[in-house]
Amino acid sequence: MSITVKNLDYTYPSGVTALNNVSLKINKGEYIAIMGANGAGKTTLIKHFNGLLKPTKGHVLVNDIDTITSSVAEMAKIVGFVFQNPDHQLFLTTVEEEIKFGPTNFDFPEEQIQEDMEKVVTFLNLKNLLKRSPFSLSEGERKRVALASVLVMNPEILILDEPTMGQDAIQKRNIAKMINELNQQGRTITLVTHDVEFVAECQPRVVAMTEGRVIADGMAKDVLTNLEILAKTKLRPPQITALAWEIANQEQSFPKDVITISEMKTNLLEFRR
Amino acid sequence: MENIIQIRNLKFSYRPSRQPAIREIDLDIRKGEYIAIAGLSGCGKSTFCRCLNGLIPHFYRSGVMKGSVTVDGLDTRELPLYEITQKVGMVFQDPESQLMALTVERDIAFGPENLGLPREEIRARVEEALELVKIAHLRERAPHELSGGEQQRVAIASVLALQPKILVLDEPTANLDPAGAVDVLNIIENLQVQKKITVIIVEHRLELALQSATRLLIMHDGTLVFDDKPEKLIAKDIIPAEAYGVQMPSLIQLFTQLMDEGHSFSQIPFNIPLAASIILSELGSARSTSE
Ligand SMILES: Nc1ncnc2c1ncn2[C@@H]1O[C@H](COP(=O)(O)OP(=O)(O)OP(=O)(O)O)[C@@H](O)[C@H]1O
Ligand SMILES: Nc1ncnc2c1ncn2[C@@H]1O[C@H](COP(=O)(O)OP(=O)(O)OP(=O)(O)O)[C@@H](O)[C@H]1O
Ligand SMILES: [Mg+2]
Ligand SMILES: [Mg+2]
């Protein structure tokens, strides 16, 4: 299960060019965060991964299937997609129907659907909302319903546009844990996020974009501590990195590529020795 | 100082049969305050914002509101919605729901036009708002054909162009890139300082909210469980704050973890320069005493 993007250009029907010669390879089982400026083309890029958008030029291969020749319905069996705005995803009258829609459509056995749903709604704190209409929920609740309706299908490839948007600290931690578990079970995860602190703690591979191009691709530790990349992609360093830089300003031997709290502690204690 | 917002025994349910989304809130907000609101998803933050800008009770009519909300001396029940909207500008959590015109420029001009302002004034305000949130290049574009963050910037610009006395922002940075989020919060802080407007902002990420907020409210299940200076949250106890869904900045987590491990510091810092200087001057003294 891998995704290969080859020299991808995309121009919207209105004439706006959103992607400019993007090439990228996402291997089976990888965990990737796509980050970068507003309007950089992140959403446009990932909409190519399940065939929602078709390349203007170039190719996108998902497991060697060229998305040009495959339908969104076909792709939906392997690729789960969570939209940036849950409004674009939710359409049924209750949360429960919403969550069961995908697996029912794919003829999953009823008992399995029930079991998977229980698991997902417990994790995402939606248990008490099953009979409610998705349209009468808070924004954070709606986003979690959108996540649940995709996670319940347990797809091999998960594409998540801003999965932690509007979530409080507890939900965010649960979502991070769930993504990690799925990744450990071999699922390929690609998420788009502005949440630098989330990325610093989860440490996926980071692809940084600006103006329709990928300008950096590497370990979270390298991308998020590179001042030039951060400036170009409108990212900011994690707080811990900013602290490391501030300390290094005064104590030159202090390492500048620190992104997690635990790394920082180790470095501080070592430094004081 | 004068209370620009007064809330008395406020209760609200979206339907008579439903659990209340606001159970009981009493609150006074002084003119010129900068207030951050945090709390678990679903605790009632957006509902509270809707009570401030009159959507509750005027728009959510199948709901039941009790108690009163007084804005700028007037009861929101008695004021028509368009008059409240002139005083209280609100940036919604979902930016797309707020966009209505066919171009970005028209969208931003819509509010000032409705205020009946002269043409030059409208033009000046639209230009200023476009520049402030860095979307001048998008002026001719259709709001529905923009990226999520671009839409959020348009929604913010539209409200800024109204120049309201009270600005209510419901997670205004959720879709913004990190540099954009800081820009927008700086713009808002400048307005608050220079034009003495009152700011109420819902924000989960304390590292952003604490930059400017002088008062923090934490909501839980439709009530207020914390109303104090942000620093007090840390002084009290970190655990309950997290139980209320408040995301402690990683800087503060670092310091509390170090303290749990036996180090001591004169204070827990909120900003990076202060944190660095505390670490450089104080860390290590703990080691010598503990060894
Ligand atoms: N439906 C659309 N029609 C025309 N242009 C669009 C459409 N959606 C997005 N665009 C434009 O394409 C470019 C890339 O948009 P995209 O949504 O991919 O950005 P993004 O990186 O996801 O940004 P954000 O962080 O704000 O969500 C932007 O210039 C945007 O204005
Ligand atoms: N339009 C509505 N109709 C009925 N119930 C609603 C509506 N909007 C919100 N609720 C319910 O009211 C409660 C408070 O919701 P609200 O949107 O105020 O929460 P919130 O604190 O803003 O959450 P979030 O952080 O997820 O945005 C929740 O239980 C929610 O399900
Ligand atoms: Mg996007
Ligand atoms: Mg809300």
Side-chain angles (χ1 to χ4, degrees):
Chain A
M1 295 288 149
S2 66
I3 302 173
T4 308
V5 181
K6 280 191 207 159
N7 305 106
L8 174 64
D9 286 357
Y10 184 77
T11 301
Y12 279 98
S14 63
V16 176
T17 294
L19 295 174
N20 202 330
N21 199 20
V22 172
S23 293
L24 185 68
K25 172 120 176 111
I26 301 172
N27 296 311
K28 177 178 162 52
E30 265 197 296
Y31 180 3
I32 293 202
I34 301 178
M35 306 187 76
N38 289 137
K42 304 178 297 293
T43 298
T44 308
L45 175 61
I46 60 169
K47 280 184 176 170
H48 282 82
F49 296 173
N50 70 339
L52 268 177
L53 296 177
K54 309 283 183 181
T56 303
K57 235 173 95 188
H59 291 275
V60 175
L61 307 176
V62 177
N63 288 345
D64 301 323
I65 306 169
D66 194 321
T67 60
I68 289 188
T69 57
S70 60
S71 68
V72 177
E74 234 176 291
M75 299 299 296
K77 296 199 173 131
I78 26 180
V79 183
F81 190 97
V82 176
F83 285 81
Q84 185 166 1
N85 188 335
D87 292 359
H88 299 175
Q89 195 166 337
L90 305 176
F91 61 103
L92 290 167
T93 48
T94 68
V95 170
E96 179 165 355
E97 284 172 60
E98 196 73 65
I99 297 174
K100 286 183 168 169
F101 178 79
T104 307
N105 240 14
F106 288 162
D107 293 325
F108 287 14
E110 182 57 38
E111 313 83 75
Q112 190 199 330
I113 297 178
Q114 198 63 35
E115 198 177 301
D116 292 348
M117 183 177 79
E118 292 286 327
K119 219 162 64 194
V120 172
V121 299
T122 307
F123 228 117
L124 292 172
N125 205 1
L126 295 170
K127 246 190 162 139
N128 299 328
L129 304 176
L130 288 176
K131 301 291 172 218
R132 296 267 302 271
S133 155
F135 297 94
S136 75
L137 299 179
S138 81
E139 280 300 316
E141 290 165 346
R142 288 154 62 73
K143 185 85 197 194
R144 298 204 300 285
V145 174
L147 270 165
S149 67
V150 169
L151 292 173
V152 75
M153 288 189 284
N154 206 354
E156 290 174 67
I157 298 176
L158 266 170
I159 312 291
L160 313 170
D161 206 344
E162 299 286 351
T164 63
M165 189 169 70
Q167 301 306 323
D168 60 63
I170 295 173
Q171 316 299 340
K172 212 185 255 192
R173 196 174 311 138
N174 285 344
I175 292 169
K177 216 164 114 192
M178 187 133 115
I179 293 174
N180 264 327
E181 271 172 26
L182 287 165
N183 183 234
Q184 264 148 27
Q185 291 161 18
R187 303 280 175 272
T188 307
I189 317 259
T190 299
L191 51 83
V192 171
T193 186
H194 291 302
D195 195 335
V196 180
E197 303 294 331
F198 178 84
V199 171
E201 286 300 325
C202 297
Q203 308 226 24
R205 170 179 152 202
V206 175
V207 170
M209 294 183 68
T210 190
E211 294 178 10
R213 294 170 190 276
V214 170
I215 66 153
D217 182 350
M219 299 205 318
K221 197 179 171 67
D222 297 328
V223 176
L224 293 181
T225 60
N226 183 318
L227 198 52
E228 198 186 323
I229 297 170
L230 293 176
K232 274 193 189 152
T233 54
K234 306 283 181 213
L235 290 171
R236 288 171 55 87
Q239 271 204 316
I240 294 296
T241 308
L243 177 61
W245 292 354
E246 189 75 27
I247 297 173
N249 255 345
Q250 296 169 55
E251 299 279 353
Q252 255 122 54
S253 64
F254 197 81
K256 286 183 161 180
D257 60 344
V258 183
I259 62 174
T260 67
I261 296 172
S262 59
E263 270 179 296
M264 183 52 124
K265 279 197 298 193
T266 313
N267 277 303
L268 284 176
L269 299 178
E270 208 144 274
F271 185 70
R272 277 296 165 205
R273 209 129 281 184
Chain B
M1 208 187 287
E2 152 197 9
N3 286 333
I4 194 154
I5 296 176
Q6 265 187 6
I7 297 166
R8 292 289 175 268
N9 299 313
L10 178 65
K11 298 183 174 68
F12 179 75
S13 307
Y14 282 95
R15 301 235 180 262
S17 58
R18 176 107 15 102
Q19 293 277 324
I22 302 288
R23 289 182 186 278
E24 173 81 58
I25 290 186
D26 275 279
L27 186 71
D28 287 325
I29 297 175
R30 288 180 300 281
K31 183 171 179 293
E33 276 197 290
Y34 192 126
I35 297 182
I37 305 180
L40 289 173
S41 171
C43 74
K45 303 179 295 295
S46 298
T47 306
F48 180 67
C49 292
R50 291 175 190 135
C51 292
L52 297 179
N53 85 333
L55 281 178
I56 292 175
H58 295 288
F59 181 78
Y60 288 86
R61 296 215 187 151
S62 39
V64 186
M65 175 179 151
K66 297 203 175 114
S68 68
V69 175
T70 310
V71 173
D72 211 8
L74 298 162
D75 188 325
T76 56
R77 277 180 207 275
E78 268 123 53
L79 274 179
L81 192 53
Y82 72 89
E83 274 186 45
I84 307 174
T85 322
Q86 287 178 22
K87 296 178 193 291
V88 185
M90 172 144 152
V91 177
F92 291 72
Q93 193 168 3
D94 172 15
E96 210 174 334
S97 65
Q98 193 160 6
L99 306 171
M100 45 196 139
L102 290 176
T103 69
V104 166
E105 205 168 31
R106 307 279 327 134
D107 212 290
I108 301 172
F110 183 82
E113 278 167 0
N114 272 1
L115 296 179
L117 296 170
R119 187 180 291 268
E120 312 78 72
E121 170 75 12
I122 294 172
R123 183 163 312 182
R125 286 191 184 195
V126 171
E127 286 311 312
E128 190 189 355
L130 283 168
E131 294 294 333
L132 269 176
V133 299
K134 302 189 176 152
I135 51 170
H137 62 292
L138 300 174
R139 67 171 76 226
E140 306 288 348
R141 298 271 301 276
H144 289 283
E145 296 183 350
L146 295 176
S147 80
E150 290 168 343
Q151 286 179 337
Q152 192 146 40
R153 287 171 196 251
V154 178
I156 294 167
S158 300
V159 172
L160 292 181
L162 281 167
Q163 300 186 357
K165 281 186 178 179
I166 301 166
L167 200 49
V168 178
L169 307 121
D170 195 352
E171 299 209 38
T173 66
N175 285 283
L176 298 186
D177 56 52
V182 170
D183 282 350
V184 163
L185 292 176
N186 284 337
I187 293 164
I188 290 162
E189 186 180 339
N190 282 341
L191 284 175
Q192 183 243 352
V193 172
Q194 285 165 14
K195 306 218 167 131
K196 307 272 185 287
I197 65 167
T198 306
V199 176
I200 296 148
I201 182 169
V202 177
E203 181 63 73
H204 287 293
R205 293 170 295 178
L206 278 196
E207 77 269 14
L208 291 178
L210 295 190
Q211 179 183 294
S212 330
T214 48
R215 184 173 172 192
L216 174 68
L217 306 179
I218 299 179
M219 285 185 69
H220 188 67
D221 196 14
T223 62
L224 287 176
V225 292
F226 180 94
D227 174 2
D228 212 328
K229 291 198 179 89
E231 306 87 85
K232 289 281 164 46
L233 183 66
I234 293 150
K236 281 178 183 159
D237 196 343
I238 191 162
I239 306 303
E242 294 215 324
Y244 293 135
V246 177
Q247 192 176 344
M248 280 296 166
S250 42
L251 192 61
I252 292 172
Q253 290 183 38
L254 171 72
F255 271 77
T256 44
Q257 287 184 21
L258 285 168
M259 287 163 80
D260 287 346
E261 289 162 21
H263 300 274
S264 57
F265 300 102
S266 54
Q267 60 170 308
I268 297 181
F270 269 99
N271 65 62
I272 308 270
L274 182 59
S277 79
I278 290 177
I279 280 174
L280 288 168
S281 61
E282 297 180 20
L283 188 71
S285 48
R287 184 169 54 89
S288 52
T289 53
S290 65
E291 270 172 19

